Coordinates of all heavy atoms in Angstrom, one line a residue:
V2 N 0.5 2.2 -0.8 CA 1.3 3.4 -0.9 C 0.5 4.6 -0.6 O -0.6 4.8 -1.2 CB 1.9 3.5 -2.4 CG1 2.8 4.8 -2.5 CG2 2.7 2.3 -2.7
A3 N 1.0 5.5 0.2 CA 0.2 6.7 0.5 C 0.3 7.7 -0.6 O 1.3 7.8 -1.3 CB 0.8 7.3 1.8
R4 N -0.7 8.4 -0.8 CA -0.8 9.5 -1.8 C -0.4 10.8 -1.1 O -0.5 11.0 0.1 CB -2.1 9.6 -2.4 CG -2.6 8.2 -3.0 CD -1.8 7.7 -4.1 NE -1.7 8.5 -5.2 CZ -1.1 8.2 -6.4 NH1 -0.5 7.0 -6.5 NH2 -1.2 8.9 -7.4
G5 N -0.1 11.8 -2.0 CA 0.2 13.1 -1.5 C -1.1 13.9 -1.1 O -2.2 13.4 -1.1
R6 N -0.9 15.2 -0.9 CA -2.0 16.0 -0.6 C -2.9 16.3 -1.8 O -2.5 16.1 -2.9 CB -1.5 17.4 0.0 CG -0.8 17.2 1.3 CD -0.2 18.5 1.8 NE -1.3 19.4 2.1 CZ -1.1 20.7 2.4 NH1 0.1 21.2 2.5 NH2 -2.1 21.5 2.7
G7 N -4.2 16.7 -1.6 CA -5.1 16.9 -2.7 C -5.9 15.7 -3.0 O -5.9 14.7 -2.3
F9 N -5.9 12.7 -4.9 CA -5.3 11.6 -5.6 C -4.6 12.0 -6.9 O -5.2 11.9 -7.9 CB -6.4 10.5 -5.8 CG -7.0 10.0 -4.5 CD1 -8.3 10.4 -4.2 CD2 -6.2 9.3 -3.7 CE1 -8.8 9.9 -3.0 CE2 -6.8 8.8 -2.5 CZ -8.0 9.2 -2.1
P17 N -12.6 8.2 -4.5 CA -12.0 7.0 -3.8 C -13.0 5.9 -3.8 O -14.2 6.0 -3.9 CB -11.8 7.6 -2.4 CG -12.8 8.7 -2.2 CD -12.9 9.3 -3.6
Y19 N -13.5 3.6 -1.4 CA -14.1 3.5 -0.2 C -13.7 4.6 0.8 O -12.6 5.1 0.7 CB -13.8 2.2 0.5 CG -14.6 1.0 -0.1 CD1 -14.0 0.2 -1.1 CD2 -15.8 0.7 0.3 CE1 -14.6 -0.9 -1.6 CE2 -16.5 -0.4 -0.2 CZ -15.9 -1.2 -1.2 OH -16.6 -2.2 -1.8
L20 N -14.6 5.0 1.7 CA -14.3 5.8 2.8 C -14.4 4.9 4.0 O -15.4 4.4 4.3 CB -15.3 7.0 2.9 CG -15.3 7.8 4.2 CD1 -14.0 8.5 4.5 CD2 -16.4 8.9 4.2
I21 N -13.2 4.8 4.7 CA -13.2 3.9 5.9 C -13.0 4.7 7.1 O -12.0 5.4 7.3 CB -12.0 2.9 5.7 CG1 -12.1 2.1 4.4 CG2 -12.0 1.9 6.9 CD1 -11.0 1.2 4.1
V22 N -14.0 4.7 8.0 CA -14.0 5.5 9.2 C -14.0 4.7 10.5 O -14.8 3.8 10.7 CB -15.3 6.4 9.2 CG1 -15.3 7.3 10.5 CG2 -15.4 7.2 8.0
V43 N -8.3 1.9 12.2 CA -8.1 2.8 11.1 C -6.7 3.5 11.3 O -6.0 3.8 10.3 CB -9.2 3.9 11.0 CG1 -8.9 5.0 10.0 CG2 -10.5 3.1 10.5
E44 N -6.3 3.8 12.5 CA -5.0 4.4 12.7 C -3.9 3.4 12.2 O -2.9 3.8 11.6 CB -4.8 4.7 14.2 CG -5.6 5.9 14.6 CD -5.5 6.2 16.1 OE1 -5.1 5.2 16.9 OE2 -5.8 7.3 16.5
L46 N -4.3 1.1 9.9 CA -4.4 1.0 8.5 C -3.7 2.2 7.8 O -3.0 2.0 6.8 CB -5.9 1.0 8.0 CG -6.2 0.7 6.6 CD1 -5.6 -0.7 6.1 CD2 -7.7 0.7 6.4
A47 N -3.8 3.4 8.4 CA -3.1 4.5 7.9 C -1.6 4.3 8.1 O -0.8 4.6 7.1 CB -3.5 5.8 8.6
E48 N -1.2 3.8 9.2 CA 0.3 3.6 9.5 C 0.8 2.6 8.5 O 1.9 2.8 7.9 CB 0.4 3.1 10.9 CG 1.8 2.9 11.4 CD 1.9 2.3 12.8 OE1 1.2 2.9 13.6 OE2 2.7 1.4 13.0
S50 N -0.2 2.0 5.6 CA -0.2 2.6 4.3 C 0.8 3.7 4.1 O 1.0 4.2 3.0 CB -1.6 3.2 4.0 OG -2.6 2.3 4.1
G51 N 1.5 4.0 5.2 CA 2.4 5.2 5.1 C 1.7 6.5 5.0 O 2.3 7.5 4.6
A52 N 0.4 6.5 5.3 CA -0.4 7.8 5.3 C -0.5 8.4 6.7 O -0.4 7.7 7.7 CB -1.8 7.5 4.7
E53 N -0.6 9.7 6.7 CA -0.8 10.4 8.0 C -2.2 11.0 8.1 O -2.7 11.7 7.2 CB 0.3 11.6 8.0 CG 0.2 12.3 9.3 CD 1.2 13.5 9.3 OE1 1.9 13.7 8.4 OE2 1.2 14.3 10.3
L54 N -2.8 10.6 9.2 CA -4.1 11.2 9.5 C -4.0 12.6 10.0 O -3.4 12.8 11.1 CB -4.9 10.3 10.6 CG -5.3 8.9 10.1 CD1 -5.5 8.0 11.3 CD2 -6.6 9.0 9.2
K55 N -4.4 13.6 9.2 CA -4.3 15.0 9.5 C -5.6 15.6 10.0 O -6.6 15.3 9.3 CB -3.7 15.7 8.3 CG -2.3 15.3 8.0 CD -1.7 16.1 6.8 CE -0.3 15.7 6.5 NZ 0.3 16.5 5.4
R56 N -5.5 16.4 11.0 CA -6.7 17.1 11.5 C -7.2 18.1 10.5 O -6.5 18.8 9.8 CB -6.4 17.8 12.8 CG -7.6 18.4 13.5 CD -7.2 19.0 14.8 NE -6.7 18.0 15.8 CZ -7.5 17.4 16.7 NH1 -8.8 17.7 16.7 NH2 -7.0 16.5 17.5
T57 N -8.6 18.1 10.3 CA -9.2 19.0 9.3 C -10.2 19.9 10.0 O -10.5 19.7 11.2 CB -10.0 18.2 8.2 OG1 -11.1 17.5 8.8 CG2 -9.1 17.2 7.6
A61 N -12.5 15.9 12.0 CA -12.0 14.6 11.7 C -10.5 14.7 11.4 O -10.0 15.7 10.9 CB -12.7 13.9 10.6
R62 N -9.8 13.6 11.6 CA -8.4 13.4 11.1 C -8.6 12.5 9.8 O -9.2 11.5 9.9 CB -7.5 12.7 12.1 CG -7.2 13.5 13.3 CD -6.3 12.9 14.3 NE -6.9 11.7 14.9 CZ -6.3 10.6 15.1 NH1 -5.1 10.3 14.7 NH2 -6.9 9.6 15.8
V63 N -8.0 12.9 8.8 CA -8.2 12.3 7.4 C -6.9 12.1 6.7 O -6.0 12.8 6.8 CB -9.1 13.3 6.6 CG1 -9.4 12.6 5.2 CG2 -10.4 13.6 7.3
A64 N -6.9 10.9 6.0 CA -5.7 10.6 5.2 C -6.2 10.0 3.8 O -7.2 9.3 3.8 CB -4.8 9.6 5.9
E65 N -5.5 10.4 2.8 CA -5.7 9.8 1.5 C -4.7 8.7 1.3 O -3.5 8.9 1.6 CB -5.6 10.8 0.4 CG -6.7 11.9 0.4 CD -6.5 13.0 -0.6 OE1 -5.5 13.0 -1.3 OE2 -7.4 13.8 -0.7
A66 N -5.1 7.5 0.9 CA -4.1 6.4 0.8 C -4.5 5.5 -0.4 O -5.5 5.8 -1.1 CB -4.2 5.5 2.1
E67 N -3.7 4.5 -0.7 CA -3.9 3.6 -1.8 C -3.7 2.2 -1.3 O -2.7 1.9 -0.6 CB -3.0 4.0 -2.9 CG -3.4 3.4 -4.3 CD -2.5 4.0 -5.4 OE1 -1.5 3.3 -5.7 OE2 -2.9 5.0 -6.0
A72 N -7.7 3.9 -4.7 CA -7.7 5.0 -3.8 C -8.7 4.9 -2.7 O -9.9 4.5 -3.0 CB -8.0 6.3 -4.6
V73 N -8.4 5.2 -1.5 CA -9.3 5.2 -0.4 C -9.1 6.4 0.5 O -8.0 7.1 0.4 CB -9.1 3.9 0.5 CG1 -9.4 2.7 -0.3 CG2 -7.8 3.9 1.1
V74 N -10.1 6.8 1.3 CA -9.9 7.8 2.3 C -10.1 7.2 3.6 O -11.1 6.4 3.8 CB -11.0 8.9 2.0 CG1 -10.9 9.9 3.2 CG2 -10.7 9.7 0.7
L75 N -9.2 7.4 4.5 CA -9.3 6.9 5.9 C -9.6 8.1 6.8 O -9.1 9.2 6.6 CB -7.9 6.3 6.3 CG -7.3 5.3 5.3 CD1 -6.0 4.9 5.8 CD2 -8.3 4.1 5.2
A76 N -10.4 7.9 7.8 CA -10.8 9.0 8.7 C -11.1 8.5 10.1 O -11.6 7.4 10.3 CB -12.0 9.7 8.1
V77 N -10.8 9.4 11.1 CA -11.2 9.2 12.5 C -11.8 10.5 12.9 O -11.2 11.6 13.0 CB -10.0 8.9 13.3 CG1 -10.3 8.9 14.8 CG2 -9.4 7.6 12.9
L92 N -17.8 14.2 5.3 CA -16.8 13.5 4.5 C -17.5 12.8 3.3 O -17.0 12.8 2.2 CB -16.0 12.5 5.3 CG -14.8 13.1 6.1 CD1 -14.3 12.1 7.2 CD2 -13.7 13.5 5.2
Q96 N -16.4 13.8 -0.4 CA -15.8 12.8 -1.3 C -16.7 12.2 -2.4 O -16.2 11.4 -3.2 CB -15.2 11.6 -0.4 CG -14.2 12.0 0.6 CD -12.9 12.5 0.0 OE1 -12.6 12.2 -1.2 NE2 -12.2 13.4 0.7

Side-chain angles (χ1 to χ4, degrees):
V2 180
R4 306 299 295 186
R6 297 177 62 185
F9 300 107
Y19 284 94
L20 168 61
I21 304 173
V22 178
V43 171
E44 288 175 340
L46 190 56
E48 182 181 317
S50 302
E53 182 182 357
L54 290 161
K55 295 183 179 180
R56 189 176 291 269
T57 69
R62 292 184 291 136
V63 181
E65 295 174 354
E67 199 171 89
V73 298
V74 173
L75 310 175
V77 172
L92 278 166
Q96 298 295 337

